[in-house]
Amino acid sequence: MNQISRRVQLVDGVAKVTGALQFTADLNVEELLYSALVLSPRPHARVAHVDVTSALAVEGVHAVFWHENTPQHHYNSSIWFAGQEALADERMFPPVVRHIGDRVAAVVADTEEIARHAGRLISVEYVDLPAIFDPEAALAHAGPVMRDDGIPAFMNPVAEESFTHGDLDAGFAAADLMVETRVTTPRSHHCAIEPHACIAKPEPDGRILILSPCQSVFAVQAVVVQALGVRQDKIRVVKTPIGGSFGGKAEPILDPLCAFFAQMLGRPVMIRYDRHETFIATRTRSSVTGWMRIGLSSDGRILARETETLVDIGSYCTGGNYLPSSMLQRLVRLYDVPAERYRGRAVYTNTVPAGAFRGYGSPQIHTVAEITLDIAARRLGMDPVAIRLRNLVSPGAIEPWQGLDVGNARGRECLMRGADAFGWKARRQPGAGRGRWRRGVGVASATHINGCYPGFHEETTATLRLLPDGRAELVCALHDLGCGADTTLAQIAGETLGLRASDIAIVPADTDSCPYDLGTRASRMTYICGEAIRRAGIALAEAIRTAAVLELNTEVRGLRLEGGAVRRPDGSGLALSDLAARLGARGEELPAATEIYRAQANPGSYAAHFAEVEVDRLTGRVRVTDYLAAHDVGRAINPMLVEGQIHGGIQIGIGYALYEDVAIDPVTGRMRGDSFSRYTLANASEMPPMRVLLIEEGEPTGPFGAKAVGEIATVPVAAAVVNAVNNALGTELTDLPLSPERILASVG
C-alpha cells in the first residue's frame, strides 16, 4: 500500500496554520455590502408593527427588510434536494416570532458597524402570545401540523414513529428482572470556531452565486430555491472552507436571506453572526426524554425492551421530524433483542430550533439505552462488559426494522479488546476511594450508520482526470468540515493512481461542476464517496495504462502506476507528467474517468468506550481521569485522522455528560448559556489521557475495507462517563448533564 493506512498530513494543513486559507468572512469581494439582523426578544409574539424610519435615515444604509417586504414562501431548511417533501414552516421573516432569537428584520449597509447601529434603531411592536417551553406540556397542544389551506399550524406531535417486533408480552413474562428508567439529555450547542456566515452576489448572467461554508451545496440550492420561489438554475452555490460544523452548518440558515438581499440590491451581500447570535439564532442538539423498560433473564439476556422517546425540536421542524425514526434505526442495530416496542414523538416548543448535531439522534438514544443496561447489570450483579457481550449483534446480523445487514460488525471485539487494554477487571471496584473522593469506571457500547441507504438518493459521482503536470484532479461534491475528509479521500484516489494525497487536486464543491450529492452527513463520506473515488481511480488507472502502451512499447497488463509514473515490471517507465506532455503534443485528450456509485448496503460501525472518573463528594465536581475508545473502523485509511476524530468525539461527549446545556429558562424561554462566558465546555484542562484502539477487520462493501468513524466517535461517551459516576457513587443518576448540583443531591 502506498497511501492507505498511512498517517498522511492534511492536504490543507499548512494553509490553515499559516492563515493562507480564506474562510467566508475573509473573502475580499468588490462592492460588498453587509447585513445585520434584528432578532426577537420574545419567545412567542405577533410582530404588530416595524418602524424602520430611523434606520433608513442612517448614512450608508441601503435597505431594511422584514416580513412585509420579503418573500412569504414557507420552506424547510433541512431539505437535501429539490422536490423533497418536508414540513415547510419557516419564513425568512415570520409575522409571528416563535423563539427568542427568531428573525424580525435585517439592515443592509456599507459596513457591518453601520448595519448593526441602524438595526438598533428599528422599533418593533409585539403582541405577546402563549409560549410553551416544556416538551411534555407541548403534547397537550395537539392537532394537525398543517391547516386545510396548507399553512403550518404548529401543533403537536410534529412527527411520530412506532415499531413492534416479536412477542413483547411473552418476553416480559419470562423475565427474571424488570428495569424501568427515565433518562433526560440536554440541548447542546455546536461551538464551532467559525460562526455562521454567508456571501451572495449577482452574476452577469442574472443568477445569484452563494458562497457558503455548508455541508451540501445542493441542499443550500434547494432551500434557497424554495424560500425565494425561483427556478433552480437561477441559484449557483460554491462551498467555501469550513471552520468547523459538527452538523451546525448542515442547514442553510443565512443563505436564503443573503441571496434575496443580493438579488434585490444588485450587489454582493455578506451576513455573519457574532457568537451570541450563533447561540440563539442557529441550531442546537435536540433534548430528549427517554423512558425504557427492559426485561432480562438471570444470566443477562435481554428478553424484551420497550422504549419511548420525546424529542424537543424547538420552534421549527427543520430536520426534527426524522429524529424519532433515526433513533429507532440506531437502537435496533446494537443488541439482539427478540422482542421490541418503540414509540418516538417530536414536538414543537417556543425555543431555538434543533437540528443536525454529530450523531443525529445516536448520542441521545444510546445514552438512554446504555445507562439503563448498566443499571440492569448492577441489579443482576453482573459485570457491565459481560452483559453487553451477552447481547451484542454478530457479524451478518439482520436488524429487524429495515431488514438491513449490519455487515462485519465487530462490537464484541471492541468490548473484549478494549476491556483488556483498559484493565477493566482489575479497575472495576464499586465506590473505590475514601472520604470526599470516589473513583469509578464505566463502559458503553454504540453503533452508527454508514450513509443513507436505502433512501435519499444515496449515490455519488466522482470524476478523476490526469493533469498536465502529472497530478490528478478530483471533481466530486466533497465537503470537508475541517476534519480531514479531503485528505482521506485524496489518499484513496492516490492509492489507485500511484500518487501521493498531495498530488490530488480537489475541485471545491460547486452546483455548476459537480453532479448531485447528499453532502457531508450521515457518516457517508469515506464509505460512500470514498468508494466512488476508488472506482473512478481504478478506471483512470486503466485509461492511463492504455494510453501509455504506445509510449512504452509494451502490453497493458504488465504496467503499473507507482511513484507518479507508469512502470514496466522491471521498474523502468515514464513519468505521468511526461506521458501527459506527449499526449498533449499529439492533440489527444488526457485520460479521465467518471464513476457513479450507488450504495448497496448500510453496515454498522461499532465502538466500546471505557472511562475512569474521580468524583468530589464535597463539591459535586466530576473529573474524567482516564479514557479508552475501541472502534470497529473496518480499515483506517489515515490512522492519525481517525484518532483525531475519536479524540474530538470524546471531548464533545464529556461535555455532553458533565457540562453542556444551553439551559432554556422554563419561565421566560431565554437561553441562559448564550455565550462562551455562560456555556461550559470540556476544555483542555478537563480532558483526560486518551487511548484509541482500532479494530480493523475490514468491511467488504467499503473502500479498501473502510467504514465510518466521524459520528460514532461521540455516541457512547456520555453513557460511559455517567456509568462511571454511578459506579463511583453507587447511584442511578439518569439526568444529564451531571452538574455539581445533581451530584450533591444524589449523595445527600
Side-chain angles (χ1 to χ4, degrees):
M1 288 291 181
N2 168 48
Q3 291 291 289
I4 302 303
S5 299
R6 294 187 179 273
R7 305 173 80 86
V8 175
Q9 70 178 24
L10 292 175
V11 293
D12 58 357
V14 173
K16 285 180 174 176
V17 299
T18 59
L21 188 71
Q22 289 192 316
F23 295 93
T24 306
D26 302 324
L27 297 176
N28 183 16
V29 179
E30 290 186 8
E31 297 187 312
L32 183 65
L33 300 175
Y34 297 82
S35 179
L37 271 63
V38 177
L39 304 177
S40 172
R42 311 292 179 87
H44 194 199
R46 188 175 308 281
V47 181
H49 180 65
V50 180
D51 185 349
V52 302
T53 307
S54 297
L56 286 172
V58 175
E59 184 177 356
V61 169
H62 289 254
V64 179
F65 297 98
W66 69 102
H67 71 269
E68 291 182 355
N69 63 352
T70 51
Q72 299 183 16
H73 306 289
H74 286 94
Y75 63 94
N76 184 305
S77 60
S78 75
I79 61 173
W80 298 357
F81 51 85
Q84 181 181 352
E85 294 186 5
L87 176 57
D89 57 6
E90 298 173 64
R91 275 181 53 177
M92 288 187 190
F93 296 98
V96 175
V97 292
R98 300 194 173 273
H99 70 96
I100 293 174
D102 210 347
R103 299 185 294 265
V104 177
V107 178
V108 182
D110 287 332
T111 69
E112 186 174 352
E113 292 75 14
I114 293 173
R116 290 189 178 276
H117 168 67
R120 291 189 288 270
L121 299 179
I122 295 175
S123 175
V124 184
E125 294 180 12
Y126 299 94
V127 177
D128 287 326
L129 299 170
I132 300 172
F133 308 128
D134 178 74
E136 293 187 50
L139 288 172
H141 193 65
V145 295
M146 299 291 284
R147 301 185 334 201
D148 292 340
D149 57 4
I151 302 299
F154 294 96
M155 304 294 277
N156 289 311
V158 182
E160 191 166 3
E161 183 67 60
S162 298
F163 172 71
T164 301
H165 166 70
D167 191 336
L168 203 75
D169 292 338
F172 281 129
D176 297 309
L177 174 70
M178 298 279 288
V179 175
E180 296 186 31
T181 60
R182 179 183 184 272
V183 180
T184 62
T185 63
R187 283 175 172 264
S188 49
H189 182 67
H190 302 84
C191 299
I193 293 175
E194 177 197 30
H196 284 63
C198 178
I199 294 174
K201 63 177 184 176
E203 292 199 305
D205 58 5
R207 298 190 302 170
I208 299 296
L209 168 64
I210 300 173
L211 304 173
S212 178
C214 61
Q215 294 187 210
S216 169
V217 292
F218 293 98
V220 172
Q221 184 185 53
V223 171
V224 172
V225 163
Q226 192 177 63
L228 270 63
V230 298
R231 297 199 317 265
Q232 187 169 331
D233 61 3
K234 291 296 183 181
I235 303 297
R236 176 189 175 198
V237 184
V238 175
K239 176 202 166 290
T240 53
I242 300 180
S245 174
F246 313 110
K249 292 165 186 163
E251 299 177 17
I253 296 169
L254 302 177
D255 307 68
L257 283 69
C258 214
F260 178 70
F261 300 164
Q263 180 187 58
M264 295 300 295
L265 298 174
R267 293 267 300 272
V269 177
M270 175 193 284
I271 307 175
R272 55 182 176 188
Y273 274 163
D274 63 22
R275 185 63 60 182
H276 174 69
E277 290 165 336
T278 298
F279 266 96
I280 69 169
T282 59
R283 302 288 184 262
T284 67
R285 191 190 293 280
S286 291
S287 65
V288 170
T289 302
W291 296 267
M292 182 169 282
R293 179 167 68 118
I294 56 175
L296 302 98
S297 62
S298 58
D299 64 353
R301 181 78 172 93
I302 301 173
L303 303 178
R305 180 169 64 179
E306 185 172 24
T307 308
E308 183 173 348
T309 59
L310 182 60
V311 185
D312 183 354
I313 65 169
S315 54
Y316 295 104
C317 177
T318 68
N321 53 325
Y322 301 122
L323 275 166
S325 57
S326 174
M327 288 193 286
L328 169 61
Q329 181 194 41
R330 280 65 157 171
L331 177 68
V332 299
R333 283 176 162 236
L334 186 58
Y335 297 119
D336 179 15
V337 180
E340 185 107 55
R341 180 183 294 149
Y342 173 88
R343 183 190 187 195
R345 289 174 290 177
V347 295
Y348 286 120
T349 58
N350 292 113
T351 59
V352 63
F357 195 160
R358 198 172 187 178
Y360 198 67
S362 274
Q364 295 99 314
I365 195 63
H366 280 88
T367 298
V368 173
E370 290 298 284
I371 291 175
T372 303
L373 189 59
D374 235 58
I375 290 172
R378 179 184 303 172
R379 294 183 186 179
L380 277 173
M382 282 192 70
D383 185 294
V385 168
I387 200 171
R388 287 169 171 81
L389 288 172
R390 183 78 176 83
N391 292 284
L392 274 166
V393 297
S394 299
I398 305 299
E399 54 87 358
W401 183 49
Q402 294 177 301
L404 295 177
D405 190 322
V406 300
N408 192 14
R410 296 292 173 175
R412 293 178 183 274
E413 283 77 3
C414 290
L415 261 177
M416 292 187 293
R417 291 172 58 181
D420 183 60
F422 187 72
W424 173 262
K425 289 184 178 179
R427 297 170 75 170
R428 186 175 175 268
Q429 301 175 38
R434 294 183 178 181
R436 63 185 281 187
W437 306 102
R438 293 288 189 273
R439 273 185 186 269
V441 292
V443 62
S445 291
T447 183
H448 199 65
I449 56 172
N450 279 256
C452 296
Y453 178 83
F456 290 118
H457 300 176
E458 187 50 285
E459 66 179 51
T460 290
T461 301
T463 296
L464 278 163
R465 59 175 57 91
L466 182 64
L467 293 174
D469 61 4
R471 298 181 302 139
E473 179 184 75
L474 171 60
V475 178
C476 187
L478 305 181
H479 299 74
D480 189 326
L481 308 185
C483 57
D486 281 359
T487 304
T488 297
L489 298 172
Q491 287 179 253
I492 291 173
E495 181 65 34
T496 63
L497 298 171
L499 295 172
R500 299 168 300 175
S502 57
D503 293 326
I504 307 299
I506 298 177
V507 176
D510 182 337
T511 53
D512 269 9
S513 61
C514 299
Y516 177 78
D517 184 80
L518 289 173
T520 299
R521 61 182 83 237
S523 290
R524 63 183 297 275
M525 291 302 287
T526 298
Y527 180 74
I528 302 293
C529 298
E531 179 61 13
I533 292 166
R534 186 189 71 86
R535 295 182 180 208
I538 291 173
L540 177 58
E542 181 65 19
I544 291 173
R545 287 195 294 268
T546 300
V549 166
L550 180 62
E551 308 301 331
L552 295 175
N553 192 27
T554 187
E555 296 182 357
V556 171
R557 64 182 181 183
L559 298 177
R560 69 182 188 277
L561 301 186
E562 181 180 291
V566 188
R567 301 192 185 279
R568 300 183 183 93
D570 64 3
S572 64
L574 183 67
L576 293 180
S577 56
D578 292 336
L579 173 63
R582 295 186 188 186
L583 294 174
R586 293 202 299 267
E588 296 184 24
E589 289 189 3
L590 298 185
T594 297
E595 288 287 326
I596 301 173
Y597 173 64
R598 295 181 177 88
Q600 301 298 315
N602 192 336
S605 293
Y606 289 83
H609 283 207
F610 300 80
E612 180 187 64
V613 301
E614 184 178 71
V615 186
D616 184 347
R617 289 167 51 89
L618 181 63
T619 66
R621 296 298 300 270
V622 177
R623 187 167 67 94
V624 183
T625 55
D626 193 19
Y627 205 94
L628 183 139
H631 276 264
D632 163 31
V633 299
R635 183 172 194 166
I637 302 296
N638 186 323
M640 177 178 69
L641 298 184
V642 170
E643 291 166 7
Q645 282 278 56
I646 295 170
H647 288 171
I650 294 168
Q651 186 269 345
I652 288 178
I654 289 175
Y656 194 45
L658 301 178
Y659 311 114
E660 297 190 44
D661 188 357
V662 299
I664 304 295
D665 188 291
V667 176
T668 65
R670 188 168 300 280
M671 184 184 291
R672 293 169 178 167
D674 59 1
S675 67
F676 282 155
S677 64
R678 296 184 178 92
Y679 185 86
T680 305
L681 290 161
N683 295 312
S685 59
E686 282 81 43
M687 293 303 294
M690 293 177 287
R691 290 174 287 164
V692 173
L693 178 63
L694 300 182
I695 310 299
E696 299 185 79
E697 298 289 340
E699 175 55 50
T701 57
F704 298 105
K707 53 185 174 181
V709 72
E711 291 188 275
I712 193 175
T714 202
V715 172
V717 184
V721 172
V722 172
N723 290 340
V725 171
N726 282 332
N727 172 246
L729 298 177
T731 51
E732 294 185 354
L733 293 166
T734 58
D735 293 321
L736 277 64
L738 296 186
S739 64
E741 293 80 7
R742 284 175 170 156
I743 295 290
L744 291 175
S746 72
V747 298

